[in-house]
Amino acid sequence: MTIQLTINGRFQSLNSLPTDNLLRALRKAGYFSVRFGSDDGKTGASAVLINGRLTNTDTMLVGQAIGKEIETIEGLSPTVGELHPIQQAFIETGAIQSGYSTPAMILATKALIADNANPTDADAREALSGILCRETGYVKPVEAVLRAAAMLRGEEVPNLQAPTAGIDLKVVGQPETKVDAIKLAKGNAAFVDDIELRGMLYAKMLTSPHAHARIVDIDDSDALALAGVRATVHYKNVARVKYASGGQSYPNPPPLDQVSFDNKVRYVGDRVAAVAADTPAIAEAAIALIKVEYEVLEAVFDENEAIAPGAPIIHDEDDRDDIHDASRNIVTHIEALVGDTERGFAEADHVFEMDYYVHQVHAVPVEPHIAISWWDADERLVIRTSTQVPFHTRRMVAPLLDLPISRIRVIKPRIGGGFGVKQEMLLEDIVGHLTIKTGRPVRMELNRSEELRSSRTRHPQTITWKTGVMADGTLHSQRFTVVANTGAYGSHGLTVQTVTGLRGLSSYNCPNREFDCIVAYTNLPVPGAYRGYGGPQANFSLESHMDEIAHEMGLDPIEFRRKNWVQSGDPM
């Protein structure tokens, strides 16, 4: 039905039901600055002004907006080349990172200044408090709010783009405006979902409710019979091609332990099937109609229990490839040695051994994973996706779709936060399979719950440091032992832990050094690349260990470090 809304000062007719989500209705009408971050308003990315008040559109129905004044960022500076002072302030202060939540922040600033022309730092922070920015702190956005307020009061503000005095270099040490700041400040189309494709289908994924189970049978007949359903994919109708999902350089580090759809699930949220349908609602309904018979298996979640005798075997498939010891759930075993640590411990005046644990955490980029695929005019498969690794993705997805790389184009537009968790091929093969089956564009986006289950995380690690120290505080021998939890699949398991070893044993000089790391499968959701890529786990445990040694030996912690830290010219 047609609904009349007042948007940016003019009446506009939207083809929508009163019970539709206002966020989706506005985006469908071309207001791409209104962005999805959650279904419950927690991210604030979807916020617009309604009767001058900042309001989340993901928790509001279209019918609730009838008769109200809706303002999006597109209304602030509708003329090409024009910027509102608030947009200008955000650009000049460098308050824009990914820009995904920037439109909501700018509208929050407008609402604040309309109510309070001379806001304080605390006022600015309160105004922005409901809008999550995952790329940075709020120092620059707060600065932008205060600068915008001063500009709108007619005051002169300092020129932040002026060359830095005393620095003759053209770029280093000089202020630079973000190259795409204007499109982000104006909320122009910049992200994966900011396009319209004729005849687009919508995909939803059926995921496992069990941490470990074998799929005995799957029946999609009821789903396919539902009007508007165009295709389903699952282990019965997709070729079994082994791959590793981590976006890394060729050849991908072992093991190749995944397929697009398997007859076994290994964590809650693992892939079972996917549906392409005319609308998201039909796709959601179709998923519920797929019948799956599971044989539930014993699960194991702790990395130490997983490698113990008698633990359930997570990868017992016949075609496993390059797993170090599947019978013990050991993905890989990393060893490195300099000198002789056992002799070093015997020679040391003091020996300390301490255990540490780093748990699993999620980066939560405000833009969830999303991918859209279609055939272009040259009959190449185009995949537009929120990835950090477009060329790795193209190489990895080609064999899964049985296409040469030359017939695949992966487009990486702006991403609304990545933090490493988008260094993975997560959805691209699914939309590719569905486009090949239907011949039509297919869009798939994870909601926040799906993102937390199916996306990637930081690796949990059980860490043991054993250090031999001489009486004068000189490090003499160190053994760094790690049991790392890579969840259900190997992904970045080998390489993240390799960096853990490097970071842990390269900060301080020590003649005898050893790294011993077991990477274990468990039935947890899959860890992968994540900020610091294994370094934070190492540094947390190492620096905690150094503090504890200094305390036990009665040494000043800084002087103890100064005596041992690596300096310019030292070998690593």
Side-chain angles (χ1 to χ4, degrees):
M1 62 182 293
T2 300
I3 290 180
Q4 291 277 344
L5 294 180
T6 305
I7 306 173
N8 297 326
R10 64 186 182 90
F11 286 109
Q12 187 166 344
S13 298
L14 273 62
N15 185 18
S16 182
L17 295 174
T19 53
D20 285 348
N21 179 297
L22 181 58
L23 162 67
R24 295 302 177 190
L26 289 172
R27 288 189 62 80
K28 188 177 178 182
Y31 296 98
F32 293 125
S33 69
V34 188
R35 304 213 165 102
F36 173 74
S38 61
D39 293 307
D40 55 8
K42 285 183 179 175
T43 68
S46 74
V48 301
L49 297 181
I50 296 183
N51 291 345
R53 183 175 180 178
L54 196 70
T55 306
N56 286 312
T57 59
D58 50 11
T59 57
M60 188 172 186
L61 303 179
V62 175
Q64 294 176 289
I66 296 173
K68 295 181 171 64
E69 295 281 341
I70 302 170
E71 188 174 354
T72 74
I73 201 173
E74 285 88 349
L76 275 186
S77 52
T79 305
V80 173
E82 176 189 3
L83 284 173
H84 189 280
I86 298 174
Q87 294 168 321
Q88 191 68 44
F90 269 74
I91 291 172
E92 291 173 350
T93 56
I96 302 170
Q97 292 253 341
S98 80
Y100 196 76
S101 298
T102 297
M105 286 189 166
I106 288 174
L107 292 174
T109 303
K110 185 175 187 296
L112 170 64
I113 295 173
D115 185 58
N116 178 2
N118 193 11
T120 64
D121 185 287
D123 294 331
R125 290 184 179 278
E126 176 63 25
L128 299 174
S129 63
I131 304 165
L132 295 184
C133 178
R134 295 291 295 111
E135 296 89 27
T136 183
Y138 291 85
V139 172
K140 290 296 182 181
V142 168
E143 184 182 337
V145 173
L146 301 182
R147 183 179 179 87
M151 292 167 69
L152 290 169
R153 291 194 303 268
E155 299 174 11
E156 283 207 25
V157 293
N159 181 4
L160 301 179
Q161 303 304 311
T164 304
I167 297 179
D168 296 328
L169 299 173
K170 292 182 178 180
V171 176
V172 175
Q174 301 293 351
E176 284 288 333
T177 299
K178 201 176 190 73
V179 293
D180 55 354
I182 290 177
K183 74 178 179 186
L184 298 173
K186 296 189 77 169
N188 293 344
F191 297 89
V192 174
D193 205 26
D194 297 347
I195 60 171
E196 289 292 329
L197 293 171
R198 190 173 298 170
M200 187 156 67
L201 301 175
Y202 299 86
K204 288 294 292 185
M205 183 163 52
L206 177 65
T207 60
S208 171
H210 305 294
H212 197 195
R214 209 173 302 279
I215 300 175
V216 177
D217 192 28
I218 188 166
D219 180 358
D220 60 0
S221 56
D222 288 347
L224 288 169
L226 184 65
V229 172
R230 305 300 172 180
T232 64
V233 285
H234 45 76
Y235 82 94
K236 285 187 175 182
N237 62 13
V238 170
R240 186 178 178 86
V241 180
K242 300 304 288 285
Y243 74 100
S245 62
Q248 307 191 62
S249 297
Y250 178 83
N252 268 45
L256 304 181
D257 58 1
Q258 293 173 258
V259 294
S260 284
F261 291 94
D262 207 344
N263 62 351
K264 189 180 187 186
V265 289
R266 298 175 175 87
Y267 68 96
V268 173
D270 205 354
R271 300 175 175 189
V272 174
V275 170
D278 292 347
T279 68
I282 294 173
E284 192 82 53
I287 285 296
L289 295 176
I290 297 176
K291 299 183 181 71
V292 185
E293 182 183 347
Y294 295 100
E295 176 195 351
V296 179
L297 305 171
E298 182 186 356
V300 60
F301 304 101
D302 178 85
E303 58 270 22
N304 300 290
E305 294 175 4
I307 62 175
I313 300 172
I314 295 169
H315 282 271
D316 55 354
E317 61 268 30
D318 294 332
D319 58 350
R320 55 183 177 267
D321 186 17
D322 291 331
I323 297 173
H324 178 75
D325 187 349
S327 68
R328 293 184 56 209
N329 294 319
I330 298 177
V331 182
T332 189
H333 185 195
I334 309 166
E335 297 176 282
L337 178 65
V338 174
D340 186 334
T341 51
E342 283 301 329
R343 189 183 67 191
F345 292 136
E347 295 170 347
D349 296 310
H350 306 277
V351 177
F352 302 89
E353 187 168 3
M354 297 160 182
D355 297 325
Y356 306 91
Y357 180 72
V358 180
H359 62 280
Q360 189 170 25
V361 290
H362 197 287
V364 197
V366 178
E367 178 200 38
H369 280 81
I370 179 170
I372 302 172
S373 62
W374 68 92
W375 291 113
D376 71 7
D378 296 309
E379 297 192 348
R380 289 182 304 176
L381 185 71
V382 182
I383 304 175
R384 181 179 168 102
T385 178
S386 57
T387 182
Q388 293 173 260
V389 286
F391 294 102
H392 295 324
T393 295
R394 183 176 70 153
R395 165 177 50 80
M396 292 189 295
V397 79
L400 303 187
L401 302 179
D402 195 25
L403 291 172
I405 289 177
S406 60
R407 287 196 63 200
I408 298 174
R409 181 187 179 203
V410 173
I411 298 174
K412 173 208 168 295
R414 260 280 171 183
I415 59 171
F419 321 122
V421 301
K422 290 179 179 173
Q423 286 180 240
E424 198 93 16
M425 191 183 71
L426 203 69
L427 305 179
E428 293 83 356
D429 60 317
I430 298 177
V431 294
H433 283 306
L434 290 168
T435 287
I436 289 170
K437 277 185 170 290
T438 63
R440 291 170 60 177
V442 176
R443 172 190 179 275
M444 184 174 187
E445 180 181 56
L446 299 184
N447 61 32
R448 186 55 57 192
S449 176
E450 292 166 338
E451 181 77 16
L452 290 170
R453 291 195 306 269
S454 303
S455 183
R456 301 308 188 229
T457 65
R458 176 168 283 159
H459 288 81
Q461 292 179 353
T462 299
I463 296 168
T464 300
W465 279 97
K466 184 176 181 179
T467 298
V469 188
M470 305 310 289
D472 66 351
T474 303
L475 298 179
H476 190 64
S477 190
Q478 282 196 310
R479 178 180 293 141
F480 183 22
T481 305
V482 173
V483 181
N485 191 329
T486 192
Y489 301 105
S491 184
H492 290 259
L494 167 62
T495 45
V496 166
Q497 272 57 239
T498 300
V499 174
T500 291
L502 170 66
R503 294 288 174 249
L505 289 169
S506 63
S507 296
Y508 298 99
N509 284 314
C510 184
N512 305 292
R513 281 178 276 188
E514 181 180 357
F515 181 56
D516 191 297
C517 175
I518 289 174
V519 183
Y521 285 123
T522 67
N523 293 113
L524 286 178
V526 186
Y530 192 105
R531 283 180 161 178
Y533 206 78
Q537 296 97 310
N539 289 330
F540 153 72
S541 60
L542 171 62
E543 297 304 336
S544 299
H545 186 52
M546 293 291 283
D547 273 341
E548 290 174 294
I549 292 173
H551 177 74
E552 289 292 326
M553 293 185 65
L555 303 173
D556 178 270
I558 300 301
E559 290 307 314
F560 176 48
R561 287 173 168 83
R562 192 190 306 278
K563 188 177 188 68
N564 292 285
W565 64 38
V566 171
Q567 301 186 49
S568 178
D570 288 344
M572 290 181 69

